[in-house]
Amino acid sequence: MRRLSLIAIAALLVAGCSGPSAPERPTPTSSPPSPSASPGAEVVGKRPRGRLDTLTVSSPALGRRALVWVLKPRGWTAGSTGWPVLYLLHPCCGPENGWLVNGGVERLTARLKAVVIMPEADRMGWYSDWKDGPAWETFHLTELRGLLEPRYGATGRRAVAGASMGGFGAMSYAARHPGLFAAAASFSGVLDTTLDRAGFGEFLSAGGADPDRLWGDDWAAHNPKDLAARLKGVALFVSGGDGRPGPLDRKGASSRGDAEAAVTAQSRSFARAAASAGARLRTDFYGRGRHTWPYWSRGLARALPILFPGAVRTGPR
């Protein structure tokens, strides 16, 4: 794979940056406890709007408050159970509520009989417990899972999906926690960080994620390609384009500086490893298409039947 240039790095940054720069935060319902005073996460703010709840969570794992957006399925009522749950992870560098403001997730999940949880992961958090820094993996898979799944009656099938950095998070989380997710999907995901380790390290550093503070020497412990054999029992969906302007790009779009070709090389490397391991894998390497939201939204629409077979038609107990 060609080395990620500074132009490609800029393209990755720009791709996730459309939309509001700072999501509006809910009004707190109480002062958050200090991490030393409480071992558990707590919802300290809530703003409901139709199907959408915007929550502020006080997180000991992060040492601060963080935002989580939850889309309830139509027909959901307080106390109902048996709902499947989708953890939907955002890409790097843009607004943490990108699936709402750029990805059309409310429309795409309008008939999905599942709870959709979209947690903040910082613009360069990389869905990991940092060697020296925030513990995003603990926040998402321990604190939020224990806090929100009972709150929303999410006791059915569990799946995870994401775009770009979020695709990395989806496959890394599913592989690092066997049995937790029945299905995982990646759209233009960063799925082999060591295919060009030096180039990717430059990208991380340029975005403010010092690789030594993030993973140190333990890249393989988080790299989806290195963990592919652990995904044998998980239904997988992987998509990506070749970086050339395609049918969903704006008129006059250019491939110059776009990072999709480099990222798809990583996705293909992961797919080969997953297939060799006997994983249940469906790929959608669709040719023309840039590293942009329209392709990720289409990817989610195509992945939903794999993530939740029949969930558009069936409801909770």
Side-chain angles (χ1 to χ4, degrees):
M1 182 187 71
R2 62 181 176 83
R3 198 174 167 90
L4 278 172
S5 66
L6 292 178
I7 294 176
I9 290 169
L12 270 172
L13 296 174
V14 170
C17 283
S18 58
S21 59
E24 185 180 3
R25 296 183 179 265
T27 302
T29 56
S30 63
S31 298
S34 66
S36 60
S38 172
E42 180 182 359
V43 174
V44 296
K46 177 180 177 181
R47 177 178 292 111
R49 177 183 62 77
R51 294 174 56 213
L52 179 67
D53 288 346
T54 302
L55 307 176
T56 299
V57 175
S58 174
S59 166
L62 302 179
R64 66 170 178 84
R65 294 175 175 179
L67 290 176
V68 185
W69 296 267
V70 180
L71 278 173
K72 304 180 292 287
R74 299 194 186 280
W76 180 93
T77 57
S80 61
T81 61
W83 296 102
V85 59
L86 171 63
Y87 288 84
L88 188 57
L89 310 181
H90 65 77
C92 79
C93 318
E96 291 90 343
N97 61 346
W99 278 106
L100 288 163
V101 299
N102 299 321
V105 68
E106 292 184 81
R107 172 183 57 82
L108 291 171
T109 62
R111 296 179 62 243
L112 180 67
K113 296 293 185 179
V115 175
V116 182
I117 297 175
M118 296 168 282
E120 175 185 348
D122 200 10
R123 297 191 173 204
M124 288 288 280
W126 287 96
Y127 299 96
S128 303
D129 285 358
W130 285 42
K131 292 289 186 180
D132 176 19
W136 290 106
E137 186 171 4
T138 296
F139 173 59
H140 294 148
L141 300 188
T142 300
E143 292 182 344
L144 289 187
R145 187 162 62 91
L147 183 66
L148 299 186
E149 289 189 7
R151 186 185 188 103
Y152 289 96
T155 55
R157 180 184 178 96
R158 188 185 290 111
V160 61
S164 193
M165 180 181 78
F168 165 90
M171 294 302 176
S172 180
Y173 279 179
R176 286 172 55 80
H177 298 269
L180 188 60
F181 297 102
S186 166
F187 322 118
S188 302
V190 179
L191 301 187
D192 186 1
T193 60
T194 60
L195 189 61
D196 177 12
R197 178 165 171 163
F200 190 68
E202 290 176 5
F203 163 67
L204 291 174
S205 295
D210 181 345
D212 291 332
R213 293 184 58 220
L214 175 55
W215 298 317
D217 292 327
D218 293 337
W219 286 49
H222 295 270
N223 186 23
K225 188 257 185 178
D226 288 318
L227 303 174
R230 299 186 187 183
L231 293 165
K232 188 173 181 179
V234 182
L236 304 177
F237 178 91
V238 175
S239 65
D242 63 15
R244 296 177 296 166
L248 304 184
D249 288 299
R250 68 184 184 278
K251 186 177 180 179
S254 170
S255 60
R256 179 178 174 80
D258 189 83
E260 183 69 4
V263 171
T264 296
Q266 293 192 18
S267 292
R268 288 185 180 274
S269 175
F270 166 83
R272 289 191 295 270
S276 296
R280 292 180 290 145
L281 170 68
R282 182 175 300 179
T283 60
D284 181 20
F285 295 120
Y286 42 80
R288 288 183 176 272
R290 298 166 68 245
H291 202 71
T292 56
W293 275 103
Y295 296 98
W296 305 339
S297 299
R298 186 181 69 180
L300 177 58
R302 291 176 175 178
L304 283 176
I306 296 170
L307 298 174
F308 300 107
V312 170
R313 297 184 297 275
T314 60
R317 294 189 298 271

